[in-house]
Each structure stands twice: as structure tokens, then as C-alpha cells.
Amino acid sequence: MISAKALEKLRSLKVKKVYLQIPEGLKTRALSIAASLEEKGFTVVLGLEPCFGACDLRDREAKQLGCDALLHIGHSDFGLGTSVPVVYDEWFSDFDPVRVLKKNLKKLDKYDFIGLASSVQYADALKKARDFLESKNKHVLAGKQGRLLLGQVLGCDYSNVALIEDRADCFIFIGSGSFHYSGLAARTAKPTFFIDAETDSFTLVHENRDTLEIKRRLRTEKAKDMRTFGIFVSTKPGQSGMEVAGGIRKALEKKNKQAFIISADMLTKEKIMGMGIEVLVNTACPRIYEDQGMLGALVLNPEDVKDI
Ligand code: SF4
């Protein structure tokens, strides 16, 4: 389960005690990964805090617990400076999208230039989809820039999509869950198809920029009538929005709103229950905005504040 490359890196760093960080989707394998590392001579501290990205490194905890390094499974380097060395071991699914594409090829008849995108786990699947579509005489586009893999998107970084959007007739996103494809559909006016690796389905995502803009306006209209705002700043190292929070507070106060900067590692309904916060302005992961139904408060993005 641990790649040879990651093991070699741990050994080259002369790591004895390692802090193991595993994303939510791979938690069922956590104990077997820990056991295999122990068998190879490492002492393992298995981190239990929920983890959804490499923006959420637990290097401070690793240091506090006397670990020589952090082994982060499942995500690629987010570019953060850290207090102990971090070894990234991306996890790639062996999902094959070709059988789904074969079944649904007719639906792509009217599109010649097809943009591909995936979450990191499906980077190999994206290449299989590219090869198949090219064999069917389609022009396949996939962006590649910075530390992102070919076609990779993060919920907070769709720059690979922006690179090819003008030339693509449609997009296909390969992954699981709704977070990434709905973010992609929100950023493009082009039809977006979703290959769901968990169900082998191929769906046209209907929610596009226009419907999302209408929903956004409804939220800002509602927020105009509300008075008590919490500006949420996460303590996760790659999500800190402290530098924008002060500006947001001033803007809200000018609109005669009561605004408080609130902070936690992760925001949950229980943490704000009973406080009387009516609107949350989220400076952290965009997933919070997507999950707003679970927070019991209206959630806005920082850029929405000007429209209140
Ligand atoms: S901030 Fe959110 S979307 Fe961005 S990498 Fe972290 S978990 Fe993913």
C-alpha cells in the first residue's frame, strides 16, 4: 500500500518515528498501512483528525509527538512550508473509465474538443480516458500547470480547467462525490459530464454558472436582512484566511452588521450552536460553502460581502 518511492524517501530521511496522516476515504485501510510500516521498522503514530487535502498537514502535531517526519497519504504536495519533513504518497485508483465511455460515446457525438479533469486519485483514469477518446478521433485537452498533475483539480484550484476552457466544447470530470464536479460546472459555461467511479455512471451536470449565480444572489439578498455575522478562519495551515478576515469585518461593519472573527480547525454545527450567528463568511476550504445545509447558518464567500 505504501509506494516504494515513499518508503525510500522515509529511509533516506533516516526516519524512525513517523506520523501517519490518512484521508477520510482511505481510513478503512489505516491500520493495515500502519501495520505494514511497523513491520518495516518504523514506529507509527496514526493521526485520527479528519483530513480532506494536503492543505491540512499535521506537521505541528507530528513535531509535538516527537516524530521525525509526516507521511501524508492520498494527496499531492500543496506547497506548504512545514516544521518536520513531509513525504507525500499520492494514492491512485485503478478505476478504468473506458467501459463507461464506450457505453456513452454517442452522447459525445457533437463534441470534437473534449476537456478532461479529475481529482488526484483518478489521474491514471484520466490518461486512460484520453487514450480512448483519441482513438475515437476526439481532440482531448487537459491542462497542466504548477504542482498540479495533468488535468487535476482541487476544490480550491481549477486553474488546469481555466487553461483549456476556451478551446473545449465540453468537459468530462472523472472522480467520486459531488464536490469537485459541481465546482467545475460552476466555473464553466460548457456542458460538463461526470464519470462517477463509484457507480460507473455518466451524467450531464446541469447546475451551471447561471443557476449558481441565481442561488448566490438569493443568499446575499437574505443576508441583507441579517445582523450577526461570523467570519470563519480555519487553523488548518493551508486554509488560513486571516489576512482577508480583517477586511471583511470592516466591510460588514460599514454596512451596520455585527461581525466577529471566529476560528476552529474544522467548522461544525455544534461549534456555533446557540451563539446566534446568522451568517457565516467562509475564508477557508470551499467545501464549507458546499456543505452549508449542515451548518444551520447561511454561508457566504468573501467576495459575496460586497453585494450585501
Ligand atoms: S482547501 Fe479544500 S479544496 Fe483546497 S485542497 Fe484543501 S480540502 Fe481540498
Side-chain angles (χ1 to χ4, degrees), residues 55 144 198 261:
C55 58
K144 166 78 190 93
E198 282 172 4
I261 296 176

Side-chain angles (χ1 to χ4, degrees), residues 52-55 78 154-156 179 239 285-286:
F52 300 98
C55 58
F78 196 74
L154 299 170
C156 57
F179 179 48
Q239 293 188 22
C285 175

Side-chain angles (χ1 to χ4, degrees), residues 4 32 36-37 78 124 152 176 179 187 200 227 237 243 308:
S32 61
S36 97
L37 282 165
F78 196 74
D124 287 345
Q152 183 195 352
S176 58
F179 179 48
R187 276 160 186 81
D200 269 8
R227 177 152 161 75
E243 66 287 357
I308 292 172

